[in-house]
Amino acid sequence: MFLSQAERTTGMHVVGVADLDLERVRAQLARIGWPAERYGAVSFAEAFRNGMTVLTENADALIQADGIEVVVEATGNPPAGIRHALACFKAGRHVVMVNVEADALAGPLLARKAAEAGVVHSMAYGDQPALIYEMVDWARTCGLEVVAAGKDTKHMAHYHQSTPETVWEYYGIDVERAVLGGMNAQMFNSFIDGTKSGIEMAAVANATGLNVPHKGLSFAPASVYELAGLLKPGADGGTLEGRGGYVEVVSCFGANGQEVANHLRQGVYVTFAGADEYVRRCFAEYHLSTDESGEYAALWRPSHLIGLELGVSVATAALRGESTGHAEDWAGDVVATAKRDLRAGEMLDGEGGYCVWGKLMPAADSLAFGGLPIGLAHGVRLRNTIPFGKPVTWDDVEIDSENQAIAFRREMERAFA
């Protein structure tokens, strides 16, 4: 999606693409209409000289190529994201992270390392976290009190136990169509089982300073016209734990399994409070969607375009030296939680798999009991039995303390404790 628009963006030059499957890259470039001669460069020097693109299996070579300004990290793999980001910082490259998994795992320390290196570490515009960040920033710049911010998704309570075998039924996609389309069942399942929502809201909380609900995300069903009445303090009839200032995710499906009318699936929202009677009157005069009191209002964006919008982050980093959102502190964490009774000796299969889903919680809570982050719950063996619904801890698994991603995460825990 990004590459389709990069070619249409004045002044943007994709110098290289690094991927372990170059045949797939060529097929994707052909699919979006890139002429083969455009990506036939044999060296980075030739690519710069002739406005061409190098295809390589060597990410380090791409990161270190002279003249590169911004690297888009789009692997979706947390350890790879950390490794690539650190290499970019060392080489003086800005990084746009289309890898919210890495940001949820260790974004606060990555942002700190980027600042020390004098480069930008940025959320990806077009992904929902950056768009939520933008709405929160807008509200605060207008002097409005942010009460809640987040997104909508398709979710029901039993989806937390979804596996790659049940995902297509819950998604409403024909299995044969999914296979023919080459859809990754485990990746799609991370959206259905609630993990991806937790990861994205952790990134938003870390970037905005909004609170994380102690009970986890509610996934309450809501239409856009119910946001202001639902996502306000409990003392005023809403669902939020305290005065407000929380991340939260709503669902486009009700408890009866029926789709909610006027839902916000694929969209993002912010709710905010009017400070006095004058502001509340302005809400009414300009026809904002409010709760019954008129004190709380909501704005939303109904969709996000992912890679089609990513160039905004690239340009913002290169031309302004600014991010489109980055972690400022460590507020939220996403902890591996048992989908079923797990036996000692089992190997965890990570995000979207058969064993665990990622539950959002305050970082302080995760630190207190030593929660294992979902981003590191792949390919590790359990030392202990874990009952259904219980979080997995560091002490419950066999870990390699020399592993770069594990060591980096542990460093972040010490730095932000």
Side-chain angles (χ1 to χ4, degrees), residues 117-135:
V119 297
V120 171
H121 173 259
S122 179
M123 290 178 172
Y125 198 85
D127 260 356
Q128 287 168 307
L131 300 181
I132 297 166
Y133 174 90
E134 180 182 52
M135 297 190 84

Side-chain angles (χ1 to χ4, degrees), residues 274-288:
D276 55 32
E277 186 57 38
Y278 173 77
V279 175
R280 293 192 284 273
R281 189 162 66 249
C282 291
F283 288 174
E285 290 173 354
Y286 285 87
H287 304 290
L288 266 70

Side-chain angles (χ1 to χ4, degrees), residues 290-309:
T290 67
D291 71 334
E292 291 182 358
S293 73
E295 180 180 358
Y296 297 98
L299 282 180
W300 57 86
R301 175 177 163 162
S303 59
H304 66 295
L305 297 177
I306 317 180
L308 298 183
E309 301 181 84

Side-chain angles (χ1 to χ4, degrees), residues 245-399:
Y246 283 86
V247 293
E248 187 57 277
V249 174
V250 296
S251 176
C252 61
F253 268 57
N256 58 2
Q258 299 299 308
E259 189 172 84
V260 174
N262 300 308
H263 62 72
L264 190 60
R265 188 178 183 187
Q266 303 291 356
V268 297
Y269 75 87
V270 62
T271 62
F272 44 91
D276 55 32
E277 186 57 38
Y278 173 77
V279 175
R280 293 192 284 273
R281 189 162 66 249
C282 291
F283 288 174
E285 290 173 354
Y286 285 87
H287 304 290
L288 266 70
S289 177
T290 67
D291 71 334
E292 291 182 358
S293 73
E295 180 180 358
Y296 297 98
L299 282 180
W300 57 86
R301 175 177 163 162
S303 59
H304 66 295
L305 297 177
I306 317 180
L308 298 183
E309 301 181 84
L310 182 59
V312 173
S313 289
V314 175
T316 301
L319 302 179
R320 294 178 175 171
E322 298 174 357
S323 77
T324 49
H326 62 271
E328 297 280 1
D329 205 346
W330 191 25
D333 199 16
V334 187
V335 175
T337 304
K339 288 184 173 181
R340 54 176 172 79
D341 291 337
L342 302 174
R343 302 183 308 276
E346 282 195 71
M347 192 75 76
L348 298 183
D349 57 357
E351 178 187 345
Y354 291 84
C355 299
V356 293
W357 66 282
K359 183 176 181 179
L360 177 68
M361 62 181 63
D365 292 357
S366 171
L367 270 177
F369 68 83
L372 178 71
I374 189 68
L376 296 176
H378 188 278
V380 293
R381 191 177 302 279
L382 283 173
R383 297 170 57 193
N384 302 318
T385 296
I386 310 295
F388 164 70
K390 296 296 183 182
V392 183
T393 71
W394 285 104
D395 291 339
D396 290 323
V397 297
E398 299 172 1
I399 62 169

Side-chain angles (χ1 to χ4, degrees), residues 53-372:
T53 300
V54 173
L55 306 186
T56 178
E57 296 176 342
N58 191 335
D60 288 333
L62 175 62
I63 290 168
Q64 295 166 16
D66 290 340
I68 295 286
E69 292 176 286
V70 182
V71 173
V72 176
E73 211 295 341
T75 66
N77 180 290
I82 290 172
R83 182 171 67 252
H84 293 149
L86 294 177
C88 288
F89 302 159
K90 185 176 181 180
R93 314 297 186 228
H94 303 307
V95 184
V96 175
M97 292 292 280
V98 195
N99 190 339
V100 70
E101 295 82 1
D103 265 342
L105 177 63
L109 186 56
L110 287 173
R112 180 178 290 183
K113 298 288 187 184
E116 291 170 355
V119 297
V120 171
H121 173 259
S122 179
M123 290 178 172
Y125 198 85
D127 260 356
Q128 287 168 307
L131 300 181
I132 297 166
Y133 174 90
E134 180 182 52
M135 297 190 84
V136 171
D137 190 48
W138 164 84
R140 287 172 171 167
T141 304
C142 295
L144 297 166
E145 177 193 356
V146 174
V147 177
K151 54 173 264 187
D152 193 337
T153 192
K154 181 178 182 180
H155 190 81
M156 297 181 70
H158 62 280
Y159 286 6
H160 287 315
Q161 285 77 60
S162 179
T163 71
E165 291 182 0
T166 61
V167 63
W168 302 128
E169 175 189 351
Y170 292 156
Y171 233 101
I173 296 176
D174 181 75
V175 175
E176 184 177 349
R177 175 189 157 203
V179 173
L180 289 175
M183 298 179 182
N184 184 317
Q186 184 158 343
M187 182 192 76
F188 274 80
N189 195 47
S190 71
F191 288 91
I192 280 291
D193 71 9
T195 298
K196 188 70 73 176
S197 290
I199 286 172
E200 292 180 337
M201 292 306 101
V204 172
N206 293 341
T208 61
L210 290 172
N211 298 305
V212 171
H214 288 274
K215 60 187 177 183
L217 297 170
S218 72
F219 298 101
S223 77
V224 292
Y225 303 113
E226 295 171 319
L227 293 172
L230 185 73
L231 299 168
K232 64 182 181 180
D236 291 337
T239 61
L240 302 181
E241 291 179 4
R243 165 59 192 167
Y246 283 86
V247 293
E248 187 57 277
V249 174
V250 296
S251 176
C252 61
F253 268 57
N256 58 2
Q258 299 299 308
E259 189 172 84
V260 174
N262 300 308
H263 62 72
L264 190 60
R265 188 178 183 187
Q266 303 291 356
V268 297
Y269 75 87
V270 62
T271 62
F272 44 91
D276 55 32
E277 186 57 38
Y278 173 77
V279 175
R280 293 192 284 273
R281 189 162 66 249
C282 291
F283 288 174
E285 290 173 354
Y286 285 87
H287 304 290
L288 266 70
S289 177
T290 67
D291 71 334
E292 291 182 358
S293 73
E295 180 180 358
Y296 297 98
L299 282 180
W300 57 86
R301 175 177 163 162
S303 59
H304 66 295
L305 297 177
I306 317 180
L308 298 183
E309 301 181 84
L310 182 59
V312 173
S313 289
V314 175
T316 301
L319 302 179
R320 294 178 175 171
E322 298 174 357
S323 77
T324 49
H326 62 271
E328 297 280 1
D329 205 346
W330 191 25
D333 199 16
V334 187
V335 175
T337 304
K339 288 184 173 181
R340 54 176 172 79
D341 291 337
L342 302 174
R343 302 183 308 276
E346 282 195 71
M347 192 75 76
L348 298 183
D349 57 357
E351 178 187 345
Y354 291 84
C355 299
V356 293
W357 66 282
K359 183 176 181 179
L360 177 68
M361 62 181 63
D365 292 357
S366 171
L367 270 177
F369 68 83
L372 178 71

